[in-house]
Amino acid sequence: MTNDNLNKLLVFCVLFCAQKTSIVHGAQALETKVALLLHAEPENPKCFAEGMSDLTCFWEEDEERTGSADQYSFIYTYQNENSSECSITALPAAGGKRLYFCRLSQTQLFVPLDIRVFRDDLLIHNRSLFIELVFLLDPPANLTLTSTGTQGQLKASWLPPSLKYMGDSMMYEVSYAMAGSHIGKVEEVQASSELILRGLQSGTKYKVRIRVKLDGISYSGYWSAWTDPVLMETMPGDLDPLIVSLSLIISLVLTLLSLLVLMSHRRFLLKKIWPIIPTPESKFQGLFKVYGGDFQEWLGHSTGGLWLRPAYFYSEEFPAPLEVLSEVSLGPALPSSALPPKASEALGEEDEDEKLKRVDSALEGWRETPQEHWPMDQLRAIHQHPAPWTQSSLLESHDAYVTLNAQNHSGEELLDDILEETLPLQVLFASGRTSSESRSDLGSFQQSSGLGRLSSQSSFEYPNHTWPPKGPGYTYMAVADSGVSMDYSPMSSSKIDDIGKGVIYTNEYKNEIPAHRRPIGTPIPFAF
Amino acid sequence: SKSELDFITHLIEKPSYWLEWWAGRGLPSPVRPICDPRVLDRFIMEARDTETALRGCKAGCGVTGTFVVPLTNVDFVVWETKDTEEQALEVQSGMSLFGQALGAVRESVSRVAVQILIDNNKSNIHSLGQVLRSLHIQDLPLPPAPAVGDLVTRKVSSLSELLHVHTNFLRGKVRLLLTNAPACQQNST
């Protein structure tokens, strides 16, 4: 017994709870529909049908006019039938207003229905309608989104309202938009329970909702409320093969272009990135690799390289025996001490010969300038006619000739003498004679401090103006001082007759004073 | 088959074809039932258009007299209690009443435009008869038997009201019968 009672109680509770839930749901749905109709229907009373055999009508009254439900009467009349009355219920609404409802549970369609509402015998509302034309359905249920397997597509499916005879008269409106966006699209579909949404973006979340309405041919009504939105993400997009191939081609073209630009400017770029440090190795073959920079040794051993490139010799500082003839044409006022006598020592003949050979062959390209002819002519004359010098046979200018011979003179005093040599010369040859602005292409005479092997001989040493020839093979330089500039002309004693054909070269002597004295015989560093 | 397709196409596009068929031009009767709701929907829309067009007709377009029309109201609860034959009887008797009324109207109107519209509706009624026949719904002989009774009829006195009732009848009872015909229930699953 107790069990039966308990079971009954349990069943009752379940049913009650279910009803309560459904009542709550129904109340919510009613509230939504009322709000919809208040917005959509201008006439009063507002009526809607939810199913095949019902009709709900309501109207709203302001606060000041509200009264009890008993004050109102709802009279409805079908065509060719007698009138009937509907019972009214009142419900509170927002803003202090009241809603009065009338609900019919048995209706006739496809026939006009007259409705009249009275308040205290006063007709307040009058309306004629067809019930099949005022349907307001519940939103479709079970809206689901699925993937169709194709990119940019989603399939929406739903459950149509369960109304008999009206399935093929229903039309749906599907609204879809990207999640978070307010701009969406709407698609209509008739008498169907699914729709494929196309043209969607890949890999994007979409929000879809749907509402239903009867199509208006046989049945009609208002748009239902929207369903709750359903979210679904579309399939992730594959790379469009066309886009992939185009981007590959473009990147390839750009790479080729950049390579072409790089290759065409590679020298410039290499210079910037990896600047070439110039080395003199190319001009001195074997100097650094074989002789470790010992120029003296290299000079003694290298043969072929020098003769092949005579043009470079003009800038090279090769020590060579040099004889500069100096002529003093000034008076006895000249202090003899100003000109330090230089002891001249002849080199070993073997050195002389070797050097002469080198010198001769190197100066094949040497050419005479007209300006330099006159001291050479004088010298030629001197050599051909070795007569004591007289003032008249010599140049009228105060020419001085200095002989420089390479010698193994030890001692620092020679270096000092060499360094100071230019000074007394300048003092000695100061004159007012105008000079012919002839520049010798032999270059300027600069003394190298390291030329320990050179000796100088001045014509002052021979007051009788006798200039003993040094023998065959000597190369000497004629210095012609015009008082303003000094011209130096290389000469060879052995080939004085062939001065034009002789190969004589000039050196550039740097008149530099070293920080420390170099011992004689050490390699001479050349600065380029 | 092609002949059936041609028949259906003609039924939809050229209702006057039915008149020719009715005269017995020897075309085979359709075997397959016509269950497409769009067929009836087109008739309904044309009836509505006619009603709208002739609503503003002055002096009832010159139409006088009263016409017997069927009742159009449908109570679903009551309707579902009736079987198909009873429903079919209601529909067919109603259609015949409308046919008669429209025939009488056709004779009394003088305007050509009104005549064309009335003729169209009359041909639609005939086409509907064919559709019902295709659904194996037996046809009633014209005119309707008096046994139908006045319970299901009433009288109207204007053309606009006649057309209005005609539209309601098509939307209601005729449609319900067609969409729920047993012959169409197998196809609509």
Side-chain angles (χ1 to χ4, degrees):
Chain A
M1 298 297 175
T2 315
N3 282 340
D4 286 338
N5 289 336
L6 280 172
N7 285 337
K8 283 179 188 173
L9 189 65
L10 190 65
V11 167
F12 178 74
C13 282
V14 167
L15 285 171
F16 181 73
C17 290
Q19 273 193 350
K20 201 174 179 185
T21 311
S22 66
I23 286 166
V24 169
H25 269 294
Q28 284 178 348
L30 181 67
E31 202 176 317
T32 315
K33 288 180 180 176
V34 164
L36 264 168
L37 273 179
L38 283 171
H39 180 74
E41 179 59 64
E43 287 191 52
N44 277 312
K46 305 179 199 307
C47 299
F48 61 94
E50 291 174 295
M52 304 298 293
S53 304
D54 62 271
L55 181 70
T56 306
C57 289
F58 68 92
W59 63 97
E60 200 179 35
E61 290 284 357
D62 294 335
E63 195 172 357
E64 56 267 14
R65 290 189 192 170
T66 56
S68 67
D70 301 332
Q71 289 179 295
Y72 297 91
S73 55
F74 187 96
I75 309 295
Y76 65 96
T77 312
Y78 287 106
Q79 196 175 48
N80 298 330
E81 283 188 15
N82 295 331
S83 302
S84 305
E85 191 168 347
C86 173
S87 59
I88 297 171
T89 54
L91 286 174
K97 298 181 183 181
R98 292 195 88 181
L99 290 168
Y100 298 93
F101 285 88
C102 157
R103 187 172 174 90
L104 300 176
S105 56
Q106 194 174 2
T107 57
Q108 294 190 34
L109 276 64
F110 307 105
V111 69
L113 176 67
D114 280 327
I115 295 170
R116 281 171 293 169
V117 179
F118 295 92
R119 181 178 60 217
D120 297 327
D121 299 328
L122 182 68
L123 182 68
I124 56 170
H125 299 303
N126 188 9
R127 190 182 171 188
S128 177
L129 56 88
F130 283 87
I131 295 174
E132 76 278 2
L133 301 180
V134 291
F135 274 100
L136 179 53
L137 305 172
D138 290 329
N142 292 1
L143 175 63
T144 51
L145 295 174
T146 53
S147 176
T148 60
T150 314
Q151 277 187 37
Q153 283 187 6
L154 277 177
K155 184 172 153 184
S157 57
W158 56 89
L159 201 65
S162 56
L163 282 178
K164 209 174 175 182
Y165 314 123
M166 298 183 198
D168 55 354
S169 301
M170 291 190 187
M171 68 181 197
Y172 305 90
E173 204 175 57
V174 179
S175 162
Y176 58 100
M178 283 193 280
S181 169
H182 294 291
I183 303 167
K185 287 186 186 175
V186 160
E187 276 203 41
E188 274 193 17
V189 61
Q190 287 219 3
S192 178
S193 60
E194 60 183 33
L195 176 69
I196 294 176
L197 304 169
R198 299 172 206 272
L200 307 176
Q201 284 190 19
S202 304
T204 317
K205 220 168 195 179
Y206 275 89
K207 175 178 66 174
V208 180
R209 51 183 191 163
I210 188 172
R211 61 180 182 178
V212 65
K213 182 187 165 186
L214 288 163
D215 63 2
I217 299 175
S218 280
Y219 306 98
S220 187
Y222 311 93
W223 278 112
S224 72
W226 289 105
T227 57
D228 290 331
V230 175
L231 294 165
M232 174 92 180
E233 193 166 336
T234 51
M235 277 174 64
D238 293 334
L239 287 173
D240 192 7
L242 182 67
I243 292 170
V244 169
S245 57
L246 278 175
S247 28
L248 276 174
I249 289 167
I250 287 166
S251 59
L252 196 68
V253 167
L254 285 171
T255 312
L256 284 171
L257 280 172
S258 58
L259 274 173
L260 275 170
V261 168
L262 277 171
M263 293 304 288
S264 61
H265 292 93
R266 68 174 182 276
R267 285 185 189 170
F268 174 75
L269 288 169
L270 277 171
K271 274 186 195 172
K272 289 290 175 190
I273 297 166
W274 199 290
I276 298 168
I277 303 166
T279 67
E281 279 193 55
S282 57
K283 295 178 184 175
F284 299 91
Q285 290 186 5
L287 171 60
F288 293 102
K289 288 181 187 171
V290 180
Y291 300 100
D294 189 349
F295 187 68
Q296 297 287 343
E297 283 193 29
W298 175 78
L299 271 180
H301 289 93
S302 72
T303 54
L306 281 177
W307 308 120
L308 291 171
R309 284 182 286 184
Y312 290 116
F313 282 101
Y314 296 108
S315 61
E316 288 167 350
E317 298 180 21
F318 281 121
L322 203 66
E323 202 164 311
V324 176
L325 302 175
S326 69
E327 179 186 339
V328 177
S329 60
L330 297 173
L334 291 167
S336 59
S337 63
L339 186 67
K342 303 283 183 259
S344 64
E345 290 181 8
L347 287 170
E349 286 195 355
E350 64 276 7
D351 295 327
E352 279 184 7
D353 289 336
E354 288 175 2
K355 288 183 182 171
L356 277 172
K357 282 178 196 169
R358 281 204 313 277
V359 167
D360 287 344
S361 64
L363 288 176
E364 288 175 359
W366 184 68
R367 55 179 173 82
E368 278 182 327
T369 57
Q371 289 88 354
E372 293 152 7
H373 278 293
W374 55 269
M376 294 187 200
D377 293 338
Q378 300 292 327
L379 288 169
R380 198 177 284 123
I382 290 165
H383 280 274
Q384 285 169 355
H385 311 285
W389 285 1
T390 58
Q391 265 193 335
S392 59
S393 63
L394 290 172
L395 300 166
E396 292 181 3
S397 62
H398 300 165
D399 295 325
Y401 295 90
V402 176
T403 305
L404 293 173
N405 291 332
Q407 58 186 338
N408 288 322
H409 203 286
S410 62
E412 297 177 350
E413 51 197 343
L414 183 67
L415 292 172
D416 293 334
D417 294 338
I418 290 169
L419 289 169
E420 295 165 8
E421 191 173 29
T422 53
L423 291 174
L425 279 174
Q426 283 174 0
V427 171
L428 189 64
F429 300 132
S431 67
R433 163 116 185 173
T434 57
S435 68
S436 58
E437 289 285 329
S438 60
R439 273 192 66 101
S440 166
D441 69 347
L442 305 173
S444 58
F445 174 54
Q446 289 172 333
Q447 270 193 333
S448 170
S449 59
L451 294 173
R453 287 185 157 220
L454 296 174
S455 69
S456 65
Q457 215 173 18
S458 169
S459 60
F460 291 115
E461 297 173 27
Y462 307 94
N464 291 332
H465 302 284
T466 54
W467 192 267
K470 298 295 172 186
Y474 256 103
T475 303
Y476 44 84
M477 176 178 276
V479 180
D481 175 48
S482 60
V484 177
S485 64
M486 297 171 78
D487 287 330
Y488 300 93
S489 318
M491 307 198 66
S492 171
S493 61
S494 59
K495 294 185 181 177
I496 196 67
D497 294 331
D498 305 331
I499 197 74
K501 311 172 205 170
V503 180
I504 305 173
Y505 67 92
T506 58
N507 305 319
E508 270 187 5
Y509 297 91
K510 274 199 179 173
N511 194 14
E512 58 181 353
I513 300 167
H516 57 279
R517 301 290 168 81
R518 283 185 211 279
I520 299 166
T522 55
I524 302 159
F526 289 90
F528 287 80
Chain B
S1 65
K2 192 180 181 304
S3 62
E4 289 165 8
L5 198 64
D6 288 339
F7 178 76
I8 293 168
T9 311
H10 280 110
L11 188 65
I12 295 169
E13 293 175 2
K14 218 164 93 177
S16 60
Y17 184 75
W18 286 106
L19 291 171
E20 295 170 355
W21 188 90
W22 193 264
R25 293 246 173 139
L27 289 170
S29 60
V31 178
R32 299 188 66 170
I34 298 169
C35 295
D36 194 345
R38 293 176 293 174
V39 175
L40 181 59
D41 287 347
R42 177 175 158 262
F43 297 152
I44 292 169
M45 284 191 278
E46 286 187 355
R48 190 190 298 169
D49 293 341
T50 305
E51 177 197 343
T52 309
L54 298 181
R55 189 177 295 156
C57 213
K58 288 181 182 178
C61 303
V63 175
T64 56
T66 59
F67 308 100
V68 177
V69 291
L71 297 178
T72 59
N73 56 323
V74 173
D75 189 334
F76 283 108
V77 176
V78 174
W79 179 264
E80 284 172 353
T81 59
K82 298 175 185 176
D83 55 10
T84 309
E85 285 81 17
E86 202 172 340
Q87 293 172 356
L89 187 64
E90 270 193 58
V91 167
Q92 284 166 331
S93 63
M95 294 305 294
S96 67
L97 284 172
F98 281 118
Q100 287 178 28
L102 284 174
V105 166
R106 176 67 175 79
E107 290 171 7
S108 58
V109 294
S110 55
R111 286 170 60 182
V112 177
V114 179
Q115 287 177 350
I116 291 168
L117 286 171
I118 299 298
D119 285 337
N120 193 27
N121 279 280
K122 281 179 71 181
S123 66
N124 287 349
I125 289 168
H126 283 292
S127 305
L128 254 177
Q130 287 300 316
V131 172
L132 288 169
R133 206 167 290 120
S134 74
L135 300 176
H136 306 291
I137 295 167
Q138 256 191 339
D139 201 7
L140 280 179
L142 300 171
V148 175
D150 296 327
L151 291 173
V152 294
T153 62
R154 67 186 186 93
K155 288 187 179 171
V156 293
S157 57
S158 69
L159 180 60
S160 61
E161 199 177 350
L162 170 65
L163 294 169
H164 186 62
V165 174
H166 175 58
T167 308
N168 293 340
F169 189 76
L170 290 173
R171 289 191 299 118
K173 291 181 177 177
V174 178
R175 199 173 196 280
L176 283 166
L177 179 67
L178 288 179
T179 54
N180 295 284
C184 293
Q185 293 306 310
Q186 297 161 9
N187 299 337
S188 63
T189 48

